[in-house]
Amino acid sequence: MPTTWTDVDPGAYLDAVTPAVRRRDADTLRDLMERVTGEPPRMFGASVVGFGEYHYEYASGRSGDAPAIAFAPRKPATTIYLPDGVGAHEERLAALGPHTTGVGCLYLKDLERVDLAVLEQILRASWATVTSGTFGQRAHES
């Protein structure tokens, strides 16, 4: 079954996040993503806090709906989901500070060690791309 939006209260979910640094970072990201998107947080599945929504359709025929930007506070690192792929943000990522990446994921261990202004630029650019109404590629195609 594909992941879908749930009725779980994101505030209650975030209040229970451990360790404390993840909870602190989650609060910061919730505020930042709300400011960038103008959307309230909603839970996507059991552990992803999403903002806004986009519809995707791939050449294969696969389609669905997903958060336009999202994050998940995981114990090893906080995951930020960038549907347009990290490749679209190479220059900004070079100036961000300590991080690792996957194809469409940015992993941060401590927001106090990264440049939040750069992170905001990345989120704004990703949001604009994904919500433009024409986005449909896979992150690895960026």
Side-chain angles (χ1 to χ4, degrees):
M1 179 175 189
T3 304
T4 60
W5 295 105
T6 70
D7 291 328
V8 173
D9 174 23
Y13 170 75
L14 294 175
D15 286 345
V17 167
T18 58
V21 69
R22 294 290 167 268
R23 186 171 46 255
R24 180 204 68 206
D25 289 356
D27 289 339
T28 299
L29 284 171
R30 176 184 51 207
D31 294 345
L32 177 60
M33 290 185 179
E34 275 188 289
R35 186 172 64 248
V36 166
T37 67
E39 299 282 338
R42 293 172 54 204
M43 293 302 295
F44 192 73
S47 61
V48 176
V49 181
F51 298 80
E53 181 176 278
Y54 79 102
H55 182 76
Y56 60 86
E57 284 188 48
Y58 300 136
S60 67
R62 183 174 176 209
S63 67
D65 298 302
I69 58 174
F71 73 93
R74 311 261 189 241
K75 286 193 184 204
T78 296
T79 303
I80 296 176
Y81 298 95
L82 301 171
D84 57 337
V86 296
H89 308 283
E90 249 181 279
E91 286 183 33
R92 288 186 180 112
L93 286 170
L96 179 63
H99 70 278
T100 57
T101 61
V103 174
C105 297
L106 172 61
Y107 304 103
L108 301 172
K109 291 189 177 196
D110 186 347
L111 284 184
E112 288 188 348
R113 298 187 62 211
V114 301
D115 187 330
L116 288 178
V118 172
L119 180 58
E120 183 168 348
Q121 291 171 3
I122 292 167
L123 294 173
R124 284 188 185 284
S126 184
W127 171 260
T129 298
V130 173
T131 60
S132 69
T134 59
F135 184 76
Q137 67 191 20
R138 296 173 186 257
H140 73 270
E141 295 169 343
S142 295

